Amino acid sequence: MLLLTRKGCCLCEGLEQKLRALDPPLALELIDVDGDPALQARFGLEVPVLQVRSGQGERQLPRVPPRLAGASLQVWLQKHGFSSQDA
């Protein structure tokens, strides 16, 4: 799973912590949008953004509600078509 983020973003840091705390933990790849002008132009202030990488390319998930954590976050991920096999 890709997490598009930027340094100093409290929402990004919070989502990263919540994703890393899941059981089983997700394999996260962090990408700083400010390190790539194309990503910065595309996502600007939209971070954090979750994307799932598969054989068919990358698929962006809807914005994660910031209050979700633990089991509720796992249910939300499953509802939006992400399973731990996608990690």
Side-chain angles (χ1 to χ4, degrees):
M1 174 172 281
L2 304 173
L3 177 59
L4 303 176
T5 184
R6 72 169 21 101
K7 292 180 183 173
C9 171
C10 62
L11 291 174
C12 300
E13 293 166 359
L15 182 55
E16 178 186 358
Q17 289 173 354
K18 292 172 186 177
L19 291 169
R20 291 194 186 279
L22 293 176
D23 186 27
L26 300 178
L28 281 178
E29 180 181 344
L30 301 179
I31 299 174
D32 185 346
V33 297
D34 293 328
D36 181 330
L39 289 176
Q40 207 287 326
R42 180 174 175 196
F43 294 105
L45 298 176
E46 297 288 320
V47 294
V49 173
L50 280 177
Q51 292 183 341
V52 177
R53 187 179 284 158
S54 70
Q56 300 162 338
E58 295 170 0
R59 178 175 56 90
Q60 185 172 326
L61 298 180
R63 181 171 293 279
V64 178
R67 294 180 187 218
L68 287 183
S72 298
L73 179 55
Q74 284 183 316
V75 168
W76 184 92
L77 289 167
Q78 290 170 351
K79 177 182 174 186
H80 291 285
F82 178 82
S83 68
S84 57
Q85 290 83 22
D86 294 327

